[in-house]
Short mmCIF file of all heavy atoms in Angstrom, two decimals:
data_model
loop_
_atom_site.label_atom_id
_atom_site.label_comp_id
_atom_site.label_asym_id
_atom_site.label_seq_id
_atom_site.Cartn_x
_atom_site.Cartn_y
_atom_site.Cartn_z
N ALA A 1 79.65 -5.10 40.83
CA ALA A 1 78.76 -6.14 40.28
C ALA A 1 77.32 -5.60 40.19
O ALA A 1 77.03 -4.65 40.91
CB ALA A 1 78.88 -7.42 41.16
N SER A 2 76.54 -6.27 39.42
CA SER A 2 75.14 -5.84 39.32
C SER A 2 74.22 -7.09 39.28
O SER A 2 74.59 -8.08 38.67
CB SER A 2 74.92 -4.96 38.09
OG SER A 2 75.61 -3.71 38.20
N TYR A 3 73.00 -6.93 39.76
CA TYR A 3 72.03 -8.02 39.80
C TYR A 3 70.69 -7.41 39.44
O TYR A 3 70.32 -6.31 39.84
CB TYR A 3 71.96 -8.66 41.14
CG TYR A 3 73.17 -9.43 41.58
CD1 TYR A 3 74.27 -8.83 42.06
CD2 TYR A 3 73.23 -10.81 41.37
CE1 TYR A 3 75.40 -9.57 42.40
CE2 TYR A 3 74.30 -11.64 41.74
CZ TYR A 3 75.44 -10.93 42.26
OH TYR A 3 76.57 -11.66 42.59
N LEU A 4 69.87 -8.21 38.77
CA LEU A 4 68.48 -7.79 38.41
C LEU A 4 67.59 -8.30 39.58
O LEU A 4 67.78 -9.30 40.18
CB LEU A 4 67.97 -8.52 37.18
CG LEU A 4 68.66 -7.97 35.86
CD1 LEU A 4 68.10 -8.88 34.70
CD2 LEU A 4 68.38 -6.57 35.62
N LEU A 5 66.59 -7.40 39.92
CA LEU A 5 65.59 -7.69 40.93
C LEU A 5 64.20 -7.80 40.24
O LEU A 5 63.98 -7.09 39.22
CB LEU A 5 65.55 -6.57 41.98
CG LEU A 5 66.67 -6.43 42.96
CD1 LEU A 5 66.34 -5.19 43.85
CD2 LEU A 5 66.81 -7.65 43.87
N PRO A 6 63.33 -8.65 40.84
CA PRO A 6 61.92 -8.62 40.31
C PRO A 6 61.28 -7.33 40.86
O PRO A 6 61.67 -6.78 41.84
CB PRO A 6 61.33 -9.83 40.99
CG PRO A 6 62.11 -10.01 42.25
CD PRO A 6 63.54 -9.59 41.91
N TYR A 7 60.24 -6.86 40.08
CA TYR A 7 59.57 -5.64 40.56
C TYR A 7 58.84 -5.97 41.90
O TYR A 7 58.32 -7.05 42.02
CB TYR A 7 58.59 -5.21 39.50
CG TYR A 7 59.18 -4.52 38.30
CD1 TYR A 7 59.34 -5.24 37.17
CD2 TYR A 7 59.73 -3.24 38.41
CE1 TYR A 7 59.94 -4.61 35.96
CE2 TYR A 7 60.26 -2.65 37.34
CZ TYR A 7 60.42 -3.32 36.08
OH TYR A 7 61.01 -2.73 35.01
N PRO A 8 58.82 -5.05 42.77
CA PRO A 8 58.13 -5.28 44.05
C PRO A 8 56.64 -5.62 43.83
O PRO A 8 56.07 -6.39 44.67
CB PRO A 8 58.21 -3.88 44.75
CG PRO A 8 59.47 -3.26 44.22
CD PRO A 8 59.50 -3.68 42.79
N SER A 9 56.05 -5.18 42.76
CA SER A 9 54.64 -5.55 42.49
C SER A 9 54.48 -7.06 42.23
O SER A 9 53.32 -7.50 42.26
CB SER A 9 54.20 -4.73 41.27
OG SER A 9 54.96 -5.06 40.17
N GLU A 10 55.56 -7.78 42.00
CA GLU A 10 55.46 -9.25 41.76
C GLU A 10 55.26 -10.02 43.07
O GLU A 10 55.03 -11.22 43.00
CB GLU A 10 56.60 -9.77 40.99
CG GLU A 10 56.78 -9.21 39.61
CD GLU A 10 57.99 -9.66 38.89
OE1 GLU A 10 58.48 -10.78 39.25
OE2 GLU A 10 58.45 -9.01 37.90
N GLY A 11 55.36 -9.28 44.19
CA GLY A 11 55.12 -9.93 45.51
C GLY A 11 56.37 -9.87 46.40
O GLY A 11 57.49 -9.79 45.96
N VAL A 12 56.04 -9.93 47.66
CA VAL A 12 57.15 -9.80 48.71
C VAL A 12 58.04 -11.01 48.64
O VAL A 12 59.24 -10.83 48.76
CB VAL A 12 56.59 -9.56 50.12
CG1 VAL A 12 57.62 -9.60 51.13
CG2 VAL A 12 55.83 -8.30 50.24
N GLN A 13 57.54 -12.21 48.52
CA GLN A 13 58.33 -13.39 48.64
C GLN A 13 59.39 -13.54 47.48
O GLN A 13 60.58 -13.81 47.86
CB GLN A 13 57.44 -14.61 48.62
CG GLN A 13 58.15 -15.90 49.14
CD GLN A 13 58.77 -15.75 50.51
OE1 GLN A 13 58.24 -15.06 51.40
NE2 GLN A 13 59.91 -16.46 50.73
N PRO A 14 59.00 -13.31 46.22
CA PRO A 14 60.06 -13.38 45.20
C PRO A 14 61.10 -12.26 45.35
O PRO A 14 62.32 -12.57 45.14
CB PRO A 14 59.23 -13.22 43.95
CG PRO A 14 57.81 -13.54 44.23
CD PRO A 14 57.66 -13.19 45.68
N PHE A 15 60.67 -11.10 45.81
CA PHE A 15 61.63 -10.02 46.05
C PHE A 15 62.58 -10.43 47.15
O PHE A 15 63.88 -10.25 47.02
CB PHE A 15 60.79 -8.77 46.48
CG PHE A 15 61.58 -7.53 46.42
CD1 PHE A 15 61.83 -6.85 45.19
CD2 PHE A 15 62.05 -6.93 47.64
CE1 PHE A 15 62.57 -5.70 45.20
CE2 PHE A 15 62.78 -5.74 47.58
CZ PHE A 15 63.01 -5.11 46.39
N LEU A 16 62.04 -10.95 48.23
CA LEU A 16 62.94 -11.33 49.32
C LEU A 16 63.86 -12.43 48.97
O LEU A 16 65.07 -12.48 49.32
CB LEU A 16 62.04 -11.76 50.57
CG LEU A 16 62.79 -12.25 51.79
CD1 LEU A 16 63.69 -11.28 52.38
CD2 LEU A 16 61.80 -12.76 52.80
N GLU A 17 63.38 -13.44 48.22
CA GLU A 17 64.19 -14.61 47.90
C GLU A 17 65.34 -14.13 46.97
O GLU A 17 66.46 -14.62 47.07
CB GLU A 17 63.28 -15.63 47.16
CG GLU A 17 62.36 -16.32 48.13
CD GLU A 17 61.39 -17.28 47.40
OE1 GLU A 17 61.54 -17.46 46.15
OE2 GLU A 17 60.65 -18.03 48.13
N ARG A 18 65.05 -13.22 46.04
CA ARG A 18 66.16 -12.73 45.20
C ARG A 18 67.22 -11.99 45.98
O ARG A 18 68.45 -12.18 45.74
CB ARG A 18 65.52 -11.80 44.14
CG ARG A 18 66.55 -11.29 43.10
CD ARG A 18 67.27 -12.32 42.37
NE ARG A 18 68.12 -11.81 41.25
CZ ARG A 18 69.01 -12.49 40.58
NH1 ARG A 18 69.12 -13.79 40.78
NH2 ARG A 18 69.71 -11.89 39.64
N LEU A 19 66.82 -11.17 46.95
CA LEU A 19 67.80 -10.47 47.79
C LEU A 19 68.60 -11.42 48.60
O LEU A 19 69.78 -11.19 48.73
CB LEU A 19 67.02 -9.48 48.68
CG LEU A 19 66.51 -8.16 48.01
CD1 LEU A 19 65.57 -7.48 48.95
CD2 LEU A 19 67.66 -7.29 47.55
N LEU A 20 67.99 -12.47 49.06
CA LEU A 20 68.69 -13.39 49.92
C LEU A 20 69.68 -14.25 49.02
O LEU A 20 70.80 -14.64 49.54
CB LEU A 20 67.78 -14.34 50.58
CG LEU A 20 66.87 -13.67 51.72
CD1 LEU A 20 65.89 -14.70 52.33
CD2 LEU A 20 67.82 -13.10 52.79
N TYR A 21 69.30 -14.47 47.74
CA TYR A 21 70.29 -15.15 46.81
C TYR A 21 71.43 -14.20 46.54
O TYR A 21 72.61 -14.73 46.55
CB TYR A 21 69.55 -15.38 45.48
CG TYR A 21 70.41 -15.74 44.39
CD1 TYR A 21 70.95 -17.07 44.23
CD2 TYR A 21 70.81 -14.75 43.31
CE1 TYR A 21 71.85 -17.35 43.24
CE2 TYR A 21 71.72 -15.09 42.36
CZ TYR A 21 72.18 -16.39 42.28
OH TYR A 21 73.07 -16.68 41.24
N ILE A 22 71.20 -12.92 46.35
CA ILE A 22 72.32 -12.04 46.11
C ILE A 22 73.19 -11.95 47.38
O ILE A 22 74.43 -11.92 47.28
CB ILE A 22 71.76 -10.59 45.75
CG1 ILE A 22 71.02 -10.67 44.45
CG2 ILE A 22 72.90 -9.54 45.74
CD1 ILE A 22 70.21 -9.38 44.17
N HIS A 23 72.53 -12.00 48.53
CA HIS A 23 73.28 -11.96 49.82
C HIS A 23 74.17 -13.24 49.97
O HIS A 23 75.28 -13.15 50.38
CB HIS A 23 72.34 -11.91 50.96
CG HIS A 23 72.98 -11.85 52.32
ND1 HIS A 23 73.95 -11.04 52.64
CD2 HIS A 23 72.68 -12.65 53.45
CE1 HIS A 23 74.32 -11.25 53.92
NE2 HIS A 23 73.56 -12.26 54.40
N GLU A 24 73.68 -14.37 49.53
CA GLU A 24 74.43 -15.63 49.59
C GLU A 24 75.72 -15.54 48.79
O GLU A 24 76.75 -16.05 49.18
CB GLU A 24 73.56 -16.80 49.16
CG GLU A 24 74.14 -18.19 49.28
CD GLU A 24 73.27 -19.31 48.79
OE1 GLU A 24 72.08 -19.06 48.70
OE2 GLU A 24 73.69 -20.34 48.60
N LYS A 25 75.59 -14.91 47.63
CA LYS A 25 76.74 -14.73 46.74
C LYS A 25 77.70 -13.58 47.13
O LYS A 25 78.94 -13.76 46.96
CB LYS A 25 76.25 -14.52 45.35
CG LYS A 25 75.46 -15.70 44.69
CD LYS A 25 75.41 -15.60 43.19
CE LYS A 25 76.78 -15.78 42.58
NZ LYS A 25 76.75 -15.84 41.10
N GLU A 26 77.13 -12.48 47.61
CA GLU A 26 77.94 -11.27 47.84
C GLU A 26 78.18 -10.92 49.29
O GLU A 26 79.01 -10.10 49.57
CB GLU A 26 77.26 -10.09 47.16
CG GLU A 26 77.13 -10.22 45.67
CD GLU A 26 78.49 -10.08 44.96
OE1 GLU A 26 79.48 -9.61 45.56
OE2 GLU A 26 78.56 -10.22 43.73
N HIS A 27 77.45 -11.59 50.28
CA HIS A 27 77.63 -11.32 51.62
C HIS A 27 77.32 -9.81 51.91
O HIS A 27 78.21 -9.07 52.44
CB HIS A 27 79.01 -11.69 52.17
CG HIS A 27 79.34 -13.15 51.94
ND1 HIS A 27 78.66 -14.23 52.57
CD2 HIS A 27 80.21 -13.74 51.06
CE1 HIS A 27 79.13 -15.32 52.09
NE2 HIS A 27 80.12 -15.12 51.15
N VAL A 28 76.19 -9.36 51.54
CA VAL A 28 75.77 -7.92 51.52
C VAL A 28 75.67 -7.53 53.00
O VAL A 28 75.09 -8.12 53.86
CB VAL A 28 74.50 -7.66 50.83
CG1 VAL A 28 74.02 -6.23 50.99
CG2 VAL A 28 74.62 -8.06 49.37
N ASP A 29 76.33 -6.39 53.35
CA ASP A 29 76.26 -5.76 54.73
C ASP A 29 75.02 -4.81 54.84
O ASP A 29 74.32 -4.81 55.80
CB ASP A 29 77.56 -5.07 55.08
CG ASP A 29 78.66 -6.09 55.22
OD1 ASP A 29 78.68 -6.89 56.07
OD2 ASP A 29 79.59 -6.02 54.39
N ILE A 30 74.95 -3.95 53.83
CA ILE A 30 73.98 -2.87 53.84
C ILE A 30 73.26 -2.71 52.50
O ILE A 30 73.97 -2.89 51.38
CB ILE A 30 74.69 -1.61 54.25
CG1 ILE A 30 75.20 -1.64 55.65
CG2 ILE A 30 73.76 -0.38 54.01
CD1 ILE A 30 76.13 -0.57 56.10
N VAL A 31 72.09 -2.47 52.52
CA VAL A 31 71.27 -2.04 51.25
C VAL A 31 70.77 -0.66 51.44
O VAL A 31 70.22 -0.25 52.53
CB VAL A 31 70.02 -3.01 51.08
CG1 VAL A 31 69.29 -2.55 49.84
CG2 VAL A 31 70.54 -4.47 50.83
N ILE A 32 70.97 0.14 50.40
CA ILE A 32 70.34 1.52 50.35
C ILE A 32 69.37 1.57 49.21
O ILE A 32 69.73 1.72 48.07
CB ILE A 32 71.52 2.54 50.07
CG1 ILE A 32 72.64 2.45 51.11
CG2 ILE A 32 70.91 4.00 50.08
CD1 ILE A 32 73.75 3.45 50.93
N PRO A 33 68.08 1.43 49.52
CA PRO A 33 67.07 1.52 48.55
C PRO A 33 66.84 3.04 48.20
O PRO A 33 66.87 3.86 49.11
CB PRO A 33 65.74 0.96 49.25
CG PRO A 33 66.28 0.34 50.49
CD PRO A 33 67.53 1.08 50.86
N ASN A 34 66.68 3.29 46.94
CA ASN A 34 66.64 4.67 46.43
C ASN A 34 65.38 5.08 45.63
O ASN A 34 65.30 6.12 45.05
CB ASN A 34 67.85 5.00 45.66
CG ASN A 34 69.11 4.99 46.52
OD1 ASN A 34 69.24 5.71 47.39
ND2 ASN A 34 70.10 4.12 46.14
N LEU A 35 64.43 4.12 45.55
CA LEU A 35 63.29 4.37 44.71
C LEU A 35 62.00 4.33 45.53
O LEU A 35 61.82 3.43 46.35
CB LEU A 35 63.17 3.34 43.57
CG LEU A 35 64.36 3.28 42.61
CD1 LEU A 35 64.23 2.12 41.64
CD2 LEU A 35 64.50 4.66 41.83
N ASP A 36 61.12 5.34 45.36
CA ASP A 36 59.86 5.38 46.12
C ASP A 36 59.07 4.08 45.99
O ASP A 36 58.54 3.62 46.99
CB ASP A 36 59.00 6.55 45.62
CG ASP A 36 59.63 7.96 45.94
OD1 ASP A 36 60.73 7.93 46.43
OD2 ASP A 36 58.97 8.90 45.69
N ALA A 37 58.98 3.55 44.84
CA ALA A 37 58.09 2.44 44.53
C ALA A 37 58.48 1.14 45.21
O ALA A 37 57.76 0.21 45.34
CB ALA A 37 57.99 2.15 42.99
N GLU A 38 59.79 1.05 45.63
CA GLU A 38 60.26 -0.17 46.28
C GLU A 38 60.41 -0.01 47.81
O GLU A 38 60.53 -1.03 48.55
CB GLU A 38 61.68 -0.49 45.77
CG GLU A 38 62.77 0.50 46.19
CD GLU A 38 64.11 0.28 45.56
OE1 GLU A 38 64.22 -0.67 44.74
OE2 GLU A 38 64.99 1.03 45.85
N LEU A 39 60.25 1.19 48.36
CA LEU A 39 60.50 1.42 49.78
C LEU A 39 59.52 0.74 50.68
O LEU A 39 59.90 0.17 51.71
CB LEU A 39 60.52 2.95 50.06
CG LEU A 39 61.82 3.71 49.67
CD1 LEU A 39 61.67 5.13 49.95
CD2 LEU A 39 62.96 3.18 50.51
N PHE A 40 58.25 0.75 50.31
CA PHE A 40 57.29 0.05 51.10
C PHE A 40 57.69 -1.45 51.28
O PHE A 40 57.55 -1.92 52.43
CB PHE A 40 55.82 0.13 50.48
CG PHE A 40 54.79 -0.56 51.22
CD1 PHE A 40 54.26 0.01 52.38
CD2 PHE A 40 54.32 -1.80 50.82
CE1 PHE A 40 53.24 -0.67 53.06
CE2 PHE A 40 53.32 -2.49 51.49
CZ PHE A 40 52.80 -1.85 52.60
N THR A 41 58.06 -2.14 50.24
CA THR A 41 58.45 -3.48 50.32
C THR A 41 59.69 -3.67 51.20
O THR A 41 59.75 -4.58 52.05
CB THR A 41 58.68 -4.06 48.92
OG1 THR A 41 57.43 -3.97 48.11
CG2 THR A 41 59.08 -5.54 49.07
N PHE A 42 60.70 -2.80 50.95
CA PHE A 42 61.98 -2.90 51.83
C PHE A 42 61.65 -2.69 53.29
O PHE A 42 62.19 -3.36 54.13
CB PHE A 42 62.93 -1.89 51.32
CG PHE A 42 63.91 -2.47 50.26
CD1 PHE A 42 63.83 -1.99 48.94
CD2 PHE A 42 64.85 -3.32 50.60
CE1 PHE A 42 64.70 -2.43 47.98
CE2 PHE A 42 65.73 -3.86 49.64
CZ PHE A 42 65.64 -3.39 48.37
#
C-alpha cells in the first residue's frame, strides 16, 4: 500500500498527524526514513 505525506517544510504537526492517521489504518510497527530532507523532522 502507499500513502502521500505532506512535505516536512509544511510543519511538524501536519506531518505527525498524517503519520498517525496512516498508523491508525495500517498499525505500523516500524518506519524507515530514507531522505535527508525529512530526517530532521523524523
Side-chain angles (χ1 to χ4, degrees):
S2 295
Y3 291 81
L4 291 178
L5 288 179
Y7 287 103
S9 58
E10 295 180 24
V12 172
Q13 194 59 32
F15 193 79
L16 176 62
E17 289 175 0
R18 181 60 174 172
L19 285 170
L20 292 177
Y21 166 79
I22 296 169
H23 178 53
E24 184 180 345
K25 295 198 67 174
E26 295 287 352
H27 306 290
V28 176
D29 295 295
I30 293 167
V31 174
I32 304 179
N34 293 303
L35 301 174
D36 292 6
E38 68 185 1
L39 279 176
F40 179 78
T41 301
F42 269 110

